[in-house]
Amino acid sequence: TMLINSPIFFLSLSGLLYNHVAGNMNDGGEYKLANSNAFETNYKDREYFDVYSKKITSHYSEVHWREHGPIDLPEKIIERFSDGGFMAITGYEVDQVMKTESGDEVNVPISWAYNHHYGAWLLNSKKAKLLKKKATADAIKLGLNHGSEQHLVTEVFGVDETLDDSDTEIIPQSQFFSEGNGGEMRMSYHGYPSGYAQVIESPDMFHVTPMQIDTWNRNMKNSTYIPGPLPRNSRIPQEAGYNRLLECPCSDRLPLEWGMTYTFADTEKCAGPIQDADECFSAVKQVIKSEKYNETSVSDNSLLSGCIGILNSDGHVDSIWNSAASPTSVGSKVEDDNPKSLIGNALGVVNLTIAIDESNVENAVELKLTGLADKWFGVGFGSSNMCIHMEGDECPDGGPYAIIVSGDTVTERKLDYHGPGISISKSLTVESNQVHNGMRTVHLSRPMKGSTKNHYSFDFAVASFPLIMAKGCDLVFAQHCGHGPNEVNLLPVDTSKRLCQAGIEGTIDGNEFNSERCAPFPYSDLLDQQNPTCFVQTYKGGLSCCRDKKYLLDKDQEIPWQDQPLEYYLKFRFYFEEFKKPTQPQMSPSHHQLVRLYWQTESHAGEYDIVPCREGVPPSECVQVITSRWKVRDMLHDCVVHDDGWCTGKDSKDPAKTEGVKLIYAGPHCHAATCLSMELYNADTGRLLCRMEPTFGQGQKGKYDEHGYLAIPPCLWGDAAEGLLEPELLSLDTNLLSIK
């Protein structure tokens, strides 16, 4: 991972009281840079404040990966920068510490509690808040969600939305910090040259999301490594000299399920032909839901070849395998381009059939719901959960429109977020309500468009939408006794649809595995190298197997040392100065504001496997290399800098308004002792911009020198008077190359 800070426009515990520092907090030796031996990396004579995470408690092999919630900054810091004061963060340090009964702090070795990564925020809570949102495609592409289903973003309020980045009044309301994180966090430098800073208005709040792995064999009384129990899937050799849990090996505590998926042959997802009748009949059941399938094998040149599914007007499906012609040609769509009627089934807690007839104005939508006769049951439309649209922990729009069947009574409701909601006006016509063999089937009809904003509106152009289903404990509509998400796919009635393979998909512990996590060349080599991390069927470990509160040992392995929990905190020390705006047009501000750029050499995946060398290859030649190629503009986020810590400025991708980027801080990221080097090049000129070789712990000095763990020196650019190289201007279309 290459993290870059650069100015685009040359344009339960809280912190201690702020103070001036006599030296670095982490006193394990001098911080180093990859491209300068002359720059002073000691933070002496700088103001700082300390802030701590909430207490972390874990047992051996347990993962701690959660957002800790709001943590107040020291009161004197809040007072000093309140009411429009501006803080310039010029650097920070990170450590993990235990607190003794006397209040003293004791360093926790990285060989006891391994920091896989962290994300940290400073916020002005009067104008910004941190929200959890479903990870967007862009967040997944850039790896900002770090393997999670959710992505933390800043929402700004109470600011003048008419301002843009050309206005000198623009000061960010939040700042994000994660460079040099992971096992290298303590002895990797996180500072900037003079005159550069991450600037924030009136900070008063701290947030942190650490991912920690408890690797402490309780027989270790210091940082000297003693092996501990490991799951069978761990593949790092014992002689590596560090606990192999830090790479998140998959254990059987997290069920792994995968298999071939299927789709229609006229879609972009079609990847290959279905091979035989058995596969065909399974494919039809996966793609076209129904309570009844009629399966037939034929050899008929008058029909479409290969695997065919036909959804009939009664909701039943014909599955046909036609071997008359070669199935290697997946063909093209054969249905009418403008069908007038669609039908679809969803099977789950409730069985649902939806038929839409565009020519029927009054009752265009027909619905059939089937559930247990002695219990209420219902279906919510347009959402797979009890909230239409989550905003952080809030649900401003409430729950979805739902149809509830309770005996002979059918009602329509606008649900609350995890609540019954309200009964709304009737738009349904009950065509029939019958009970047979303990099951109640209700036939309903209604117009396409909802009669109010609380009613769901069906759209003939939307062929797939989410559902939520539930059943009650009895006939009284109250707390459900079973529910689940679902989806309905609407298809043209009585129309042949050819099916094909869509590739292997899977889940780990019920969480969907992103089968598109590895970017194609030139963004990444991983797909071309067939790296195991790209495919669920070969995935052996990593972020997807590290889940909060889960253990990494196998189910048949007892978790040892249950009576010896590890309790500690992450500690951040932020160094700061006061930011001064220019008082006259010709003057410059006290600091250049840095914006944050991000790219991964292992593009989109966020991780990759170091694969074994061929037998007989000498260890000195057993080197694995991956590369990534991208443009500077690929790292930019076109939004006003006060909106979020990832924003690089309004119109920052517009070459008419942005001349380019000058790198000021480049923080490479590697894990554990397998990391040999990282390089960043201007691929257009072949010029080496940054080369990093890590410093390996030797296990001899004790503190911060654990065997096999790393310090990773960043590259820094600035004033030659400080012993730094001048930064190079990179245009938005400059091609970059990273080698790892």
Side-chain angles (χ1 to χ4, degrees), residues 6 49 92 114 146 167 198 202 271 341 352 370 383 403 436 510 578 608 666 675:
S6 64
F49 64 90
Y92 71 96
Y114 182 75
H146 257 112
D167 194 309
Q198 290 179 257
S202 303
S341 59
L352 171 70
T370 301
S383 178
I403 299 173
H436 180 68
E578 291 189 9
Y608 66 104
C675 182

Side-chain angles (χ1 to χ4, degrees), residues 141 515-529 534 599-605 627-630:
K141 177 179 178 180
S515 61
E516 298 179 352
R517 65 200 315 257
C518 293
F521 186 85
Y523 292 115
S524 171
D525 297 329
L526 297 181
L527 273 178
D528 288 351
Q529 294 176 0
C534 298
W599 194 263
Q600 298 177 340
T601 310
E602 53 275 37
S603 285
H604 308 190
T627 69
S628 180
R629 297 160 176 83
W630 74 101

Side-chain angles (χ1 to χ4, degrees), residues 354-395:
I354 301 178
I356 300 179
D357 184 352
E358 195 176 32
S359 62
N360 188 338
V361 177
E362 291 297 323
N363 294 305
V365 181
E366 295 183 0
L367 303 106
K368 182 178 77 170
L369 283 72
T370 301
L372 293 170
D374 60 350
K375 295 175 174 57
W376 70 261
F377 54 88
V379 177
F381 295 81
S383 178
S384 59
N385 55 55
M386 292 287 285
C387 182
I388 295 175
H389 177 65
M390 286 294 296
E391 286 287 350
D393 296 327
E394 300 176 359
C395 183

Side-chain angles (χ1 to χ4, degrees), residues 335-527:
E335 72 273 12
D336 185 353
D337 287 334
N338 297 294
K340 298 301 180 183
S341 59
L342 300 174
I343 192 169
N345 296 308
L347 308 181
V349 176
V350 181
N351 287 346
L352 171 70
T353 298
I354 301 178
I356 300 179
D357 184 352
E358 195 176 32
S359 62
N360 188 338
V361 177
E362 291 297 323
N363 294 305
V365 181
E366 295 183 0
L367 303 106
K368 182 178 77 170
L369 283 72
T370 301
L372 293 170
D374 60 350
K375 295 175 174 57
W376 70 261
F377 54 88
V379 177
F381 295 81
S383 178
S384 59
N385 55 55
M386 292 287 285
C387 182
I388 295 175
H389 177 65
M390 286 294 296
E391 286 287 350
D393 296 327
E394 300 176 359
C395 183
D397 298 323
Y401 162 83
I403 299 173
I404 306 298
V405 178
S406 180
D408 294 331
T409 303
V410 178
T411 59
E412 297 170 75
R413 304 188 72 89
K414 167 66 174 172
L415 300 176
D416 280 337
Y417 181 40
H418 295 299
I422 59 173
S423 179
I424 57 178
S425 59
K426 179 183 176 182
S427 67
L428 293 167
T429 299
V430 179
E431 306 292 348
S432 66
N433 186 336
Q434 298 178 334
V435 176
H436 180 68
N437 291 334
M439 302 299 292
R440 182 178 298 276
T441 298
V442 180
H443 287 85
L444 309 168
S445 62
R446 51 153 284 183
M448 188 99 70
K449 181 176 175 56
S451 58
T452 73
K453 66 177 182 179
N454 288 329
H455 291 76
Y456 184 78
S457 290
F458 294 90
D459 187 339
F460 201 78
V462 178
S464 178
F465 51 87
L467 306 166
I468 184 170
M469 298 177 169
K471 64 179 180 180
C473 306
D474 50 38
L475 287 175
V476 178
F477 179 61
Q479 176 67 35
H480 63 72
C481 282
H483 75 291
N486 215 309
E487 183 181 44
V488 65
N489 295 300
L490 301 175
L491 299 175
V493 176
D494 297 330
T495 301
S496 297
K497 297 283 291 186
R498 182 185 278 121
L499 279 70
C500 62
Q501 294 179 350
I504 292 174
E505 303 280 356
T507 61
I508 297 177
D509 196 32
N511 297 296
E512 183 178 352
F513 185 88
N514 180 13
S515 61
E516 298 179 352
R517 65 200 315 257
C518 293
F521 186 85
Y523 292 115
S524 171
D525 297 329
L526 297 181
L527 273 178

